Amino acid sequence: MENSEAMALTVVLLAAAGDLTRRINDGVEARGFEVRPAYGFAFTRLAPDGATVTDLATHLGVTKQAASQLVDELVRKGYAERRPYPGDARARLVVLTERGWACTRAAEEAAADAVRAWVEVLGEGEVGVLRDRLARIAPYGPIRPSW
């Protein structure tokens, strides 16, 4: 693949990711939540069982200080709360609140809306093929901002 072709592919993939992020964020806001894209990237790490600030910083690729500031914001807005970490009195576990889970469900709905727009353009089969091929390239890639 020529450099210019590789760059064109890079640009279109980043544009699609950026557009998808914007559509999901706009959809979550339209459902009544005050958010920014960083919340969704954090929620993907917090959603299963919670995480420490250090875990979140690693997941997001940011400093512990930046992750701590984000957690402060999520707590202040009622999306997350800090709890004692089982087995370590010094650590705190950050978990989603019911409001955080509701926001996550709103993001899932917004993501489905965004993908439906792709289905209208490409068809359901093509979108499935796209998903499968991208999963082969980055099966476990971090879901985090790169900007």
Side-chain angles (χ1 to χ4, degrees):
M1 180 174 274
E2 296 288 324
N3 285 350
S4 59
E5 292 172 339
M7 193 61 187
L9 176 60
T10 301
V11 168
V12 74
L13 282 171
L14 290 172
D19 182 63
L20 184 60
T21 299
R22 182 191 54 77
R23 285 175 183 246
I24 292 170
N25 195 73
D26 290 351
V28 171
E29 286 181 343
R31 288 165 173 83
F33 295 92
E34 181 187 348
V35 295
R36 54 190 184 101
Y39 294 7
F41 292 108
F43 286 7
T44 63
R45 179 61 184 91
L46 298 177
D49 299 310
T52 64
V53 168
T54 301
D55 295 335
L56 187 59
T58 299
H59 173 78
L60 295 174
V62 299
T63 65
K64 289 182 208 175
Q65 180 182 10
S68 183
Q69 290 173 348
L70 179 60
V71 168
D72 288 345
E73 192 174 330
L74 293 173
V75 168
R76 193 171 48 255
K77 291 186 177 184
Y79 295 117
E81 64 184 10
R82 291 180 178 93
R83 294 183 182 164
Y85 190 87
D88 186 349
R90 298 167 297 160
R92 304 291 285 169
L93 186 65
V94 181
V95 298
L96 294 178
T97 61
E98 181 51 45
R99 178 172 168 76
W101 285 109
C103 186
T104 298
R105 289 187 295 274
E108 290 174 3
E109 293 168 4
D113 290 346
V115 171
R116 268 193 287 282
W118 291 5
V119 170
E120 289 176 14
V121 173
L122 299 175
E124 195 165 330
E126 288 285 328
V127 170
V129 168
L130 175 63
R131 179 200 59 233
D132 294 345
R133 288 187 177 162
L134 290 173
R136 284 175 43 202
I137 294 167
Y140 308 109
I143 301 173
R144 66 182 187 196
S146 58
W147 49 88

